[in-house]
Amino acid sequence: KQWYQRRVRGLCLRLGRSVVRNGLLNCSKAVSQLTADKEVVGLGWASDLENEMRAGLSEKPALTDIVNYYFNKAAPACEEECLKTIRKGSYEKSLQLIRGTLGVIKPCNDVLEISFPIRRENGDIETITGFRSQHSHHRTPTKGGLRFSEDIDRETINSLAKINSFTSALIDVPFGGAKAGIRINPEKYTTRELEKIVRRFTVELAKKGFIGPGIDVLGPDLGTGEQEMNWIADTYRNTLGSQDLNSYACVTGKSRAMGGIHGRDRSAGKGLFLTCSQFLEDADFMKAVRLIPGAFGKKVIIQGFGNLATTPADTSHVAVPRLWE
């Protein structure tokens, strides 16, 4: 089992690197160059890629199509890299092992879809649908945020969970990827109604074993923040985690009063700013996208101004004043 987990970790890391290298191209441009990519996407992955293209990758492809496209594009490069270091018997057996492991990595291991009723303050009874996807258990706990959105579905949550696995592997963080979502528009609900939804969702996750320290850890995402994480931690501690000393570790992003970390609310935005800064200063990356290294003389567009977008906007305005001229 330990040998298998090490192999999956290594493959996730190599696959993530390949995704990053191949992901420099704009997705729509890559789709239009499918014919040219056939030579690159060999070793058994081309048919999957072609099927996804025929399935409807258009100018506005779904997130699922994008993730699968880049997975299939990165897989051959990953296979070639792994064959240099992994030898399990003959060449054919080694290739069979690598392809089999990549086939295991592509789908999500566990996906939970929950529907439950709540009574709203006006007396109406409404059915709420939520999802939790655990992509990979090669490292535990699985880690991924909880988002509120009317546009989410099972496939979107699965794709976001896959992305979390690859990003964790890239920087060698010991987490498997996961993601959760509740299909609501939070602006249409009162605070009390949102609390009821979040607490009930937490209970359902706990009953199915989809939350817990060292098992599956949630965090804030689109439409959620400290308050929602506090509700989750409190609900878990008073139900399934009542005997667990580390029960509050079932979520990240909670308030400091409940064991959270100072600066967590700005950490994702700060990380985005630092990542973009490194990207802009890297000569190889800039050459790949045909730009001159450095931030000066470039224009930046930030979509939205919520928890994530506020921090890079503020930080870049102070750190690189000329960027906003």
Side-chain angles (χ1 to χ4, degrees):
K1 182 178 179 181
Q2 292 178 349
W3 176 87
Y4 172 76
Q5 290 176 337
R6 287 197 302 270
R7 287 289 174 250
V8 172
R9 278 203 300 269
L11 282 170
C12 277
L13 175 58
R14 292 187 175 100
L15 187 65
R17 287 173 177 167
S18 299
V19 169
V20 170
R21 286 198 297 267
N22 288 288
L24 290 176
L25 291 174
N26 179 275
C27 183
S28 60
K29 180 180 178 182
V31 170
S32 66
Q33 293 180 342
L34 172 61
T35 304
D37 289 339
K38 287 182 180 177
E39 290 76 16
V40 178
V41 188
L43 301 178
W45 298 95
S47 58
D48 289 343
L49 186 61
E50 290 180 33
N51 290 335
E52 281 151 18
M53 297 302 111
R54 295 194 190 100
L57 268 186
S58 59
E59 293 182 358
K60 296 182 67 176
L63 178 62
T64 303
D65 298 323
I66 296 173
V67 173
N68 288 336
Y69 171 79
Y70 281 114
F71 182 98
N72 290 332
K73 191 173 182 182
C78 183
E79 286 181 357
E80 294 174 3
E81 194 70 24
C82 291
L83 283 170
K84 298 176 183 178
T85 57
I86 299 176
R87 283 295 181 184
K88 195 71 174 178
S90 64
Y91 172 87
E92 290 74 16
K93 287 186 176 180
S94 299
L95 183 59
Q96 188 178 35
L97 173 65
I98 294 168
R99 287 182 178 177
T101 307
L102 284 171
V104 171
I105 292 173
K106 187 174 182 179
C108 289
N109 287 1
D110 297 307
V111 184
L112 178 66
E113 181 174 344
I114 305 169
S115 293
F116 55 86
I118 66 159
R119 185 182 295 277
R120 303 196 62 176
E121 293 183 354
N122 62 5
D124 292 342
I125 296 178
E126 183 174 330
T127 300
I128 304 297
T129 301
F131 306 90
R132 181 63 172 176
S133 176
Q134 298 174 349
H135 171 248
S136 177
H137 299 115
H138 72 285
R139 282 186 167 184
T140 53
T142 53
K143 177 72 176 72
L146 167 66
R147 61 173 50 193
F148 293 157
S149 174
E150 292 181 315
D151 300 326
I152 62 170
D153 55 27
R154 179 194 294 261
E155 295 302 323
T156 301
I157 294 299
N158 287 349
S159 298
L160 293 169
K162 294 177 186 180
I163 293 172
N164 281 344
S165 282
F166 300 145
T167 53
S168 296
L170 273 171
I171 56 176
D172 200 25
V173 174
F175 298 141
K179 183 63 72 172
I182 301 178
R183 191 185 292 158
I184 60 171
N185 181 353
E187 296 180 357
K188 296 180 180 179
Y189 297 84
T190 66
T191 301
R192 175 57 183 159
E193 289 170 342
L194 288 174
E195 182 179 357
K196 291 171 66 175
I197 293 170
V198 171
R199 288 185 182 275
R200 176 62 186 273
F201 183 68
T202 304
V203 170
E204 295 300 325
L205 291 180
K207 286 161 60 177
K208 306 298 191 301
F210 272 71
I211 185 174
I215 301 172
D216 193 359
V217 178
L218 282 78
D221 199 74
L222 179 67
T224 60
E226 283 187 355
Q227 182 62 78
E228 289 76 18
M229 299 305 108
N230 289 347
W231 290 334
I232 293 173
D234 180 68
T235 303
Y236 180 78
R237 184 176 181 83
N238 287 286
T239 53
L240 189 66
S242 60
Q243 304 299 316
D244 190 346
L245 180 66
N246 302 310
S247 57
Y248 281 159
C250 65
V251 294
T252 60
K254 50 192 174 289
S255 65
R256 282 186 287 169
M258 298 189 71
I261 299 174
H262 177 67
R264 171 61 180 81
D265 56 334
R266 297 176 62 85
S267 61
K270 190 67 176 293
L272 175 61
F273 169 76
L274 294 174
T275 302
C276 291
S277 299
Q278 291 295 321
F279 178 80
L280 290 171
E281 296 298 333
D282 190 289
D284 292 334
F285 280 144
M286 288 293 97
K287 183 179 179 180
V289 295
R290 300 178 182 179
L291 292 175
I292 300 173
F296 298 113
K298 297 181 176 63
K299 295 181 179 180
V300 174
I301 298 174
I302 297 179
Q303 181 179 349
F305 204 65
N307 293 335
L308 177 62
T310 304
T311 302
D314 291 342
T315 307
S316 58
H317 181 70
V318 175
V320 195
R322 287 182 56 191
L323 194 65
W324 302 92
E325 293 182 357

